Amino acid sequence: FHSILASFVTLRASALLYQNIRSPKLHLAAFFHLRRHSGTTTMTASAPPRLLIRDPTSYAIKRRQLAAAGPSALQVITDFDGTLSRYFHPTKVPRERNPTCHVLLEHCPALPDSYREEARRLLAYYYPLEVDLSIPVEKKLGLMVEWWSKAHDLLLKYTLTRMDLTTTIQKETSHLRDQVREFLETLSQNDVPVLVFSAGIADILEEVLRQQDLLFDNTHVISNRIQFDPQTGQAVAFDTHLIHSFNKNETAAKGIGAAYWDQVVNRNHVLLLGDSLTDVQMAEGTEESGRVLLTIGFLNDKEEERAEKFSETFDVVVLGDGSFELPLEIVSEIMEVQGGAEHEK
């Protein structure tokens, strides 16, 4: 980079090791933990996460503030596709994308090949536009409305029931990142509200979490929700509020998230997690007075091209489709305050 101080951080136990890198260009090879296997280079499953931190001092201060206040002041706001879920499939070779909520529908036996062909055509056209940093956000807003509207209209052309979704996800699911289970369980055990804010499909991501016993009472989902006809059981519409990757802000979502807002009236410490530059907008509706906002971005691909923008946007960036080791460590620190108070009693 020409104007960035990047910090490579390796998690070892509970300690963070900072190594400053000053370079006119980010040399990504310095970040990789690699092993050789049968003549090919692969990521080691046990390698510590690779982190990028623009301002280590600010990041450390925010972590201390969150930890000092404890779980009673905390709320967690997270994206689903590419954040709670992996970006790449964990086992398929050659490497394939882990199915997103919309892509999981391509595995539904109730939908014909014509659905899959058109859905893939839409993805091939619109996804490069979504991640193209040269296109102004104002222009992307219209493109994303086009994409999501066409994808939803396409789905509603065919016969689909809620049972079809359940059966599909039993056979092919969206794989969650390592340590997401421990992360969500810790938040549930300590009654910390979690908002899963997704541009995917609520019915699908809830089913993914439900089948893995991770849809807890403290979890609220704001996403595109399918309406099923009560007589026929068939999908007939989507909720009127369209959520795409460029309008996920809580101000717009307050009208459909009343149950969540009741839980977070006095919680002004926010841990936010996402994999898109616009995911930071998910916190725009939270109370700003006294707010401590710690943001974690997952930069899953095109690292050298997108790292600078991500490091400018998020407090800390997890590179390379990494695990939830860092978010779990942060919430574990926060829970220690409550544990210490109970021990003193």
Side-chain angles (χ1 to χ4, degrees):
F1 299 135
H2 293 282
S3 61
I4 184 172
L5 171 61
S7 295
F8 168 50
V9 186
T10 301
L11 276 172
R12 298 193 183 281
S14 61
L16 288 173
L17 174 65
Y18 294 88
Q19 176 185 346
N20 291 331
I21 296 176
R22 295 174 176 84
S23 170
K25 185 177 181 181
L26 177 63
H27 298 290
L28 290 174
F31 290 131
F32 286 101
H33 298 266
L34 302 173
R35 62 181 170 87
R36 295 285 176 178
H37 179 67
S38 301
T40 61
T41 302
T42 59
M43 291 293 296
T44 60
S46 60
R50 300 175 297 116
L51 308 179
L52 190 62
I53 300 176
R54 182 179 181 84
D55 187 342
T57 300
S58 173
Y59 168 71
I61 290 172
K62 289 183 178 183
R63 278 190 66 163
R64 286 198 298 269
Q65 289 174 322
L66 293 182
S72 63
L74 180 67
Q75 60 171 297
V76 173
I77 305 172
T78 180
D79 174 50
F80 184 79
D81 290 320
T83 301
L84 290 178
S85 69
R86 296 171 181 260
Y87 184 79
F88 289 108
H89 196 285
T91 60
K92 289 188 177 180
V93 178
R95 212 173 195 191
E96 293 183 10
R97 283 286 305 271
N98 184 40
T100 64
C101 291
H102 284 90
V103 172
L104 276 173
L105 289 168
E106 297 179 19
H107 298 272
C108 179
L111 297 174
D113 289 340
S114 57
Y115 169 80
R116 283 177 272 280
E117 291 168 4
E118 181 62 14
R120 290 169 185 170
R121 188 191 69 79
L122 291 173
L123 176 66
Y125 178 76
Y126 284 104
Y127 179 70
L129 301 177
E130 179 187 11
V131 299
D132 189 336
L133 298 178
S134 68
I135 300 176
V137 171
E138 295 75 15
K139 184 176 181 180
K140 286 187 180 182
L141 287 170
L143 291 169
M144 295 305 101
V145 170
E146 280 182 21
W147 182 11
W148 261 255
S149 298
K150 289 179 180 179
H152 291 174
D153 290 344
L154 174 65
L155 178 64
L156 296 175
K157 287 171 58 178
Y158 303 98
T159 300
L160 180 74
T161 67
R162 189 176 296 279
M163 183 54 66
D164 291 329
L165 298 182
T166 300
T167 303
T168 297
I169 295 167
Q170 287 172 345
K171 296 178 179 178
E172 178 64 52
T173 191
S174 183
H175 299 271
L176 303 181
R177 294 181 187 271
D178 290 344
Q179 296 178 293
V180 162
R181 173 173 295 278
E182 294 86 345
F183 176 80
L184 294 178
E185 287 176 341
T186 299
L187 295 171
S188 173
Q189 291 161 5
N190 291 274
D191 298 318
V192 174
V194 176
L195 174 60
V196 181
F197 201 156
S198 172
I201 300 176
D203 311 84
I204 292 177
L205 75 85
E206 286 175 348
E207 189 62 29
V208 170
L209 294 174
R210 184 180 294 110
Q211 291 190 16
Q212 300 187 48
D213 297 322
L214 290 174
L215 190 60
F216 300 116
D217 291 341
N218 67 315
T219 302
H220 188 86
V221 174
I222 295 179
S223 187
N224 299 294
R225 193 171 293 277
I226 301 173
Q227 296 177 4
F228 294 91
D229 186 285
Q231 275 74 46
T232 66
Q234 294 180 8
V236 293
F238 277 83
D239 284 348
T240 55
H241 185 86
L242 178 69
I243 300 175
H244 57 75
S245 55
F246 282 80
N247 72 343
K248 287 167 50 179
N249 60 77
E250 289 192 337
T251 303
K254 280 188 175 181
I256 57 174
Y260 175 74
W261 296 111
D262 288 344
Q263 297 181 58
V264 298
V265 172
N266 298 313
R267 293 176 179 266
N268 59 358
H269 286 194
V270 183
L271 178 63
L272 182 147
L273 308 100
D275 75 314
S276 169
L277 292 171
T278 55
D279 278 340
V280 293
Q281 298 174 357
M282 297 188 295
E284 285 186 3
T286 57
E287 177 59 49
E288 293 189 19
S289 177
R291 184 179 71 181
V292 177
L293 174 62
L294 179 62
T295 59
I296 301 177
F298 287 83
L299 178 50
N300 297 309
D301 67 341
K302 298 183 179 180
E303 292 181 3
E304 189 162 3
E305 175 185 329
R306 304 169 71 195
E308 184 166 7
K309 282 288 187 183
F310 264 71
S311 66
E312 291 172 352
T313 303
F314 293 96
D315 292 306
V316 55
V317 180
V318 180
L319 297 168
D321 204 17
S323 73
F324 250 56
E325 183 175 346
L326 175 65
L328 178 60
E329 179 179 277
I330 291 172
V331 299
S332 296
E333 288 176 351
I334 297 169
M335 303 315 154
E336 287 176 2
V337 172
Q338 178 167 287
E342 292 176 351
H343 180 71
E344 289 175 4
K345 293 178 183 179

